Amino acid sequence: MKKLFPVSVALLALCIGLMLQPIDVKAQSKQWTGLNWAQGVAIGDYDNDHLNEIAYTEGSAGLATIFRSDGTTIAKQWSGLNNPYGVAIGDFDNDALNETAITEKDGGKVTVYEGDGATVAKQWTGLQGPEGVAIGDFDNDGLKEIAITESSAGNVTVFRSDGTTVVRQWTGLGSPSGVAIGDFDDNGFNEIAFAASSVNSVYVYKGWGDGSISKVWSGLNEPKGVAINDYDNDNLTETAITGIFSNGTVTVYKNDGVTVLAQLAGLTTPIGVAIGDYNNDGLNELAYTEQGQVTVVPELLIYLIFPLLIATTLLAVIVYRRHALQWTH
């Protein structure tokens, strides 16, 4: 029975070690390759058929493409765009129907299309290097807003659905890029997160109360993309951040903003990132862009992983206690 002691200790050490380590995500469920500088990516119900699609932009090709969840059928494609960068899907004008917003960095404009992909709901022109775009209820008033980053101007602006009224604006930022709206810390209120790539930081601001800063990640790897959603399907929100140089990464943080849930490394210029149910299986996936490809990583079934670890831990404790009882006798 003395041999059970090292066995139980080893099991406990293994379980504790697994729980403390971020999950290194490698498997992939879908990938598009041979792209011409993939940049933004979004997951949502583009055409209001109650099924999600995936949208991504190709900057050098001037394309924005939306694929059905089979990954093959093209639902919509826009061509001739001037360095399309960011893309977002959501109910911009609060009519209970989703729209798609696309930024054109070199064209200095952001266009919001209705679900038919042709009708323009709103367009902003004369912008300075618009990169990121997000649609969500920033100020927690029950109505959606749209957030746009201007990398050359150093601005992030949140507009009401009329496209004119400014809810909030941040200026003097270091090349703001990706932006996301969501309940970052699971407190029941939405926040806004945006990357400031030239100062290697991501900022999270409250959309409620005094609008103060909630979280800052600093010393990052030139962050570009930001996404807020429940990646591991545990009903709690995570934040995903891409970093492009020199070892490209996508890092997913728990809602404390510190604990790393998952990380991919060794990527080639990852820019955009999105979390959502791409394949309509009721579970969220993680999508990210690289220079020549877009990858969808399968859902992280944390509700299956942790029960397994807990069961193993309990087994180790039982073995240890039985050994301890026999040792005392």
Side-chain angles (χ1 to χ4, degrees):
M1 297 302 295
K2 292 182 180 180
K3 291 182 179 180
L4 291 177
F5 179 75
V7 172
S8 60
V9 171
L11 284 171
L12 280 170
L14 175 62
C15 292
I16 293 169
L18 287 172
M19 289 180 181
L20 294 177
Q21 289 298 315
I23 298 167
D24 188 15
V25 181
K26 294 297 183 185
Q28 58 198 37
S29 62
K30 179 62 185 176
Q31 191 173 71
W32 295 264
T33 59
L35 306 181
N36 201 343
W37 204 263
Q39 299 188 129
V41 63
I43 297 172
D45 181 9
Y46 144 75
D47 55 1
N48 301 286
D49 65 349
H50 306 293
L51 294 171
N52 286 337
E53 290 82 29
I54 187 167
Y56 61 76
T57 62
E58 295 177 75
S60 297
L63 299 175
T65 308
I66 298 183
F67 281 91
R68 302 258 181 235
S69 58
D70 60 9
T72 304
T73 306
I74 294 178
K76 174 65 183 179
Q77 186 174 71
W78 294 267
S79 60
L81 304 179
N82 196 349
N83 190 11
Y85 204 99
V87 60
I89 300 172
D91 183 10
F92 154 72
D93 55 5
N94 298 286
D95 64 350
L97 297 172
N98 284 340
E99 290 79 32
T100 301
I102 302 170
T103 69
E104 295 179 64
K105 183 176 180 180
D106 294 346
K109 64 183 179 180
V110 176
T111 307
V112 180
Y113 294 92
E114 297 286 359
D116 60 8
T119 306
V120 174
K122 177 65 185 177
Q123 187 176 75
W124 294 263
T125 59
L127 304 179
Q128 299 180 52
E131 290 191 4
V133 61
I135 298 171
D137 182 9
F138 161 68
D139 58 359
N140 299 281
D141 65 348
L143 298 172
K144 301 287 178 64
E145 290 80 33
I146 188 168
I148 299 170
T149 68
E150 295 179 78
S151 60
S152 300
N155 298 335
V156 176
T157 308
V158 180
F159 292 94
R160 295 230 182 265
S161 59
D162 60 10
T164 303
T165 306
V166 175
V167 179
R168 181 81 189 267
Q169 185 177 65
W170 295 263
T171 60
L173 303 173
S175 302
S177 188
V179 60
I181 297 171
D183 186 4
F184 147 77
D185 53 6
D186 291 294
N187 66 348
F189 296 96
N190 285 339
E191 291 82 26
I192 186 169
F194 49 81
S197 58
S198 68
V199 293
N200 298 316
S201 299
V202 170
Y203 304 95
V204 180
Y205 281 88
K206 296 176 182 177
W208 50 278
D210 60 4
S212 60
I213 198 161
S214 292
K215 172 67 183 177
V216 179
W217 287 275
S218 58
L220 301 179
N221 182 21
E222 193 164 340
K224 279 290 186 180
V226 185
I228 301 173
N229 208 341
D230 178 13
Y231 170 50
D232 60 359
N233 299 285
D234 65 348
N235 297 316
L236 296 172
T237 303
E238 286 79 37
T239 301
I241 300 172
T242 65
I244 64 174
F245 294 118
S246 56
N247 177 29
T249 57
V250 177
T251 306
V252 181
Y253 293 91
K254 290 292 241 177
N255 61 7
D256 60 6
V258 177
T259 305
V260 174
L261 173 66
Q263 186 175 70
L264 299 101
L267 306 178
T268 305
T269 320
I271 294 178
V273 63
I275 301 172
D277 183 10
Y278 152 70
N279 58 4
N280 299 289
D281 64 350
L283 299 169
N284 287 337
E285 292 83 34
L286 175 76
Y288 62 91
T289 66
E290 292 182 81
Q291 184 173 339
Q293 61 190 32
V294 175
T295 304
V296 178
V297 177
E299 54 271 7
L300 185 59
L301 302 180
I302 205 70
Y303 63 86
L304 293 179
I305 293 171
F306 278 113
L308 178 61
L309 293 177
I310 292 169
T312 309
T313 303
L314 288 173
L315 176 62
V317 170
I318 291 169
V319 171
Y320 176 80
R321 291 191 65 180
R322 285 183 177 177
H323 167 71
L325 287 171
Q326 293 190 16
W327 184 270
T328 57
H329 296 303

